[in-house]
Amino acid sequence: MKTLGTVGQLVRAGPVAALALIAALLGGAVVLVVAKAGGWLHTTSKTVVVRESVPSSGDANAPVIAPKPLLGNGFQPSQIYRTRAAGVVTIISYFDSSSLPGARAGQGSGFVISNDGLILTSAHVVTTAGQGQSGKTTTAQTIYIEFADGDRVQAKPVGVDLFDDVGVLRVDPKQHALDPVPLGNSARVVVGEPVAAIGSPFGNADSLSVGVVSATRRSIPSLTTKYDLIDAIQTDAPINHGNSGGPLFDARGRVIGINAQIRSSGSSSGFEGVGFAVPIDSAKRSLDQIVKTGAVRYAYVGIKTEDLTPGVAKKFGYATRRGALVDYVDPGGAADKAGLKAGSQEEVYEGVGVRVGGDAIVAIDGVPVGSAQDVVRIVAGRLVPGETAHFTVVRGSKRRTVPVTLEARPPAG
């Protein structure tokens, strides 16, 4: 068991079938609410994931279009349940030999996504990541998939992405009939739209809960690495122990996220109204690379950044209104080699500490940057290790373009 201090804790399952269940369940973590954003540096909690080239999942200019319901003129959870529950599964992961009495096991949820047996879940459901153990993360020795009819088949791990907390499994479609669920588009999710979660909280398979999207594009600490997970979907739909890895559906019954974390005050380990799901667009990236190569590649810039606001820009003489201030440059890293300059002065503006005197990133390959998280999204969505990206920066009153050749992301942990 591991806690994250007084404000959050990993969520674990209770005993299931006399097994000593360990982590691999829904975990809780505290939302980062400070303005400073993590930046691709393998040192502190301000680091974030930088992923391989794909379309951005957080296009601020995309039209706001709430999805139409599955049927009828309103949100119909019962219809979503009738048409989708068969594709949601319970996952039992044995970390010792499953034949041993008292074998360690974890229980979570997952969902079938293809007729040839692919299943998506959370990485921490099927690995030791997030359990607070030192050393290399290991995958469960034996993994069983339990379907809605109670039948079980053994699954084989295809691969995991610890950075985005995504796991991919495969079952033999000849062993059980499969009912895949459709995947949606998390970039189009809007605050206030209704959602439904199906999973196995506390081992209670095929449980439905409903709510709304409370927020989008959240940056939250990862359960499985030191790097932040970006663009998480926040929901008030009740999700608890064992929901981890299960689907979050929109009104049309399409998966928009993988339920992964809850926030806990520390006085309780259950649902408190703040849950988070990994956006399905990120999971699709992980899925594609895992199926093709068995692993996921990430780019690495080697900086920390924070928001540049209009007030800060005016106060400290930046020739731009918004951007991302470079707080720190990793010595010898990609940004350092390219000549990006970190802030040198610690100042306080309206009660908030800022580091000024360095570069403010305002665009990457011509794509505007309005905040520290924009840098993360652009790099995550468009860049790959070995690629050279052109960072437009403002240093005081001068603007310049700096080519940065990205390096490979350091290992998770």
Side-chain angles (χ1 to χ4, degrees):
M1 305 291 288
K2 175 186 176 183
T3 61
L4 298 179
T6 60
V7 290
Q9 64 183 40
L10 294 179
V11 179
R12 305 299 187 199
V16 173
L19 299 175
L21 298 187
I22 63 174
L25 310 183
L26 192 69
V30 180
V31 180
L32 296 183
V33 295
V34 295
K36 294 187 177 182
W40 326 285
L41 182 66
H42 194 256
T43 53
T44 73
S45 61
K46 294 177 66 178
T47 57
V48 299
V49 171
V50 178
R51 293 182 286 264
E52 191 167 351
S53 178
V54 291
S56 173
S57 63
D59 184 359
N61 296 317
V64 176
I65 304 174
K68 295 181 179 180
L70 190 66
L71 288 176
N73 296 320
F75 181 50
Q76 297 188 16
S78 60
Q79 179 68 10
I80 293 174
Y81 185 82
R82 284 194 297 271
T83 58
R84 301 296 186 243
V88 182
V89 298
T90 301
I91 298 175
I92 299 93
S93 303
Y94 284 87
F95 295 90
D96 299 315
S97 173
S98 59
S99 62
L100 294 176
R104 296 179 305 151
Q107 176 256 313
S109 303
F111 50 100
V112 181
I113 60 169
S114 70
N115 287 313
D116 62 354
L118 285 177
I119 293 174
L120 276 178
T121 185
S122 295
H124 71 268
V125 169
V126 294
T127 71
T128 57
Q131 296 181 24
Q133 299 179 359
S134 59
K136 184 179 179 180
T137 295
T138 59
T139 302
Q141 290 188 23
T142 307
I143 302 172
Y144 289 107
I145 302 300
E146 184 174 298
F147 293 91
D149 60 5
D151 197 15
R152 285 189 181 185
V153 301
Q154 190 167 339
K156 294 182 179 180
V158 180
V160 296
D161 178 2
L162 296 180
F163 297 115
D164 241 9
D165 197 6
V166 174
V168 183
L169 308 174
R170 188 186 293 276
V171 295
D172 185 349
K174 296 179 182 178
Q175 292 186 314
H176 195 281
L178 302 178
D179 193 356
V181 299
L183 304 184
N185 181 353
S186 55
R188 301 293 177 144
V189 172
V190 296
V191 174
E193 71 172 85
V195 290
I198 302 178
S200 303
F202 304 108
N204 297 303
D206 304 320
S207 296
L208 170 72
S209 61
V210 298
V212 299
V213 173
S214 303
T216 60
R217 302 173 69 167
R218 290 295 199 198
S219 176
I220 61 175
S222 171
L223 296 180
T224 49
T225 72
K226 296 179 181 179
Y227 302 89
D228 287 353
L229 189 155
I230 64 167
D231 285 341
I233 300 169
Q234 181 182 329
T235 179
D236 68 348
I239 52 178
N240 288 284
H241 311 276
N243 273 114
S244 193
L248 185 69
F249 292 102
D250 67 11
R252 294 185 62 185
R254 302 169 300 186
V255 179
I256 57 172
I258 302 177
N259 298 317
Q261 299 184 21
I262 61 173
R263 181 175 181 176
S264 173
S265 65
S267 60
S268 171
S269 60
F271 166 70
E272 296 188 32
V274 183
F276 299 95
V278 173
I280 199 62
D281 291 356
S282 297
K284 288 176 184 177
R285 286 195 293 265
S286 301
L287 170 67
D288 181 64
Q289 294 184 58
I290 287 172
V291 170
K292 289 180 179 178
T293 67
V296 181
R297 300 177 68 232
Y298 290 81
Y300 188 70
V301 181
I303 58 176
K304 296 179 187 177
T305 61
E306 63 179 296
D307 292 343
L308 174 64
T309 64
V312 171
K314 182 178 180 180
K315 173 70 174 180
F316 298 104
Y318 283 91
T320 184
R321 287 177 53 81
R322 291 194 177 275
L325 292 174
V326 179
D327 274 0
Y328 180 83
V329 176
D330 186 10
D336 186 36
K337 293 176 182 177
L340 288 182
K341 181 181 177 182
S344 57
Q345 303 167 239
E346 287 285 355
E347 301 286 351
V348 176
Y349 176 76
E350 301 293 352
V352 177
V354 293
R355 180 177 285 272
V356 297
D359 290 333
I361 302 171
V362 295
I364 300 174
D365 283 345
V367 180
V369 170
S371 68
Q373 286 302 317
D374 281 346
V375 178
V376 181
R377 292 184 181 98
I378 294 168
V379 174
R382 300 171 184 268
L383 305 179
V384 296
E387 183 178 1
T388 297
H390 293 85
F391 283 58
T392 302
V393 301
V394 170
R395 188 175 299 174
S397 61
K398 296 182 178 180
R399 181 180 295 245
R400 67 190 68 192
T401 299
V402 180
V404 180
T405 301
L406 303 173
E407 299 176 349
R409 178 70 179 275

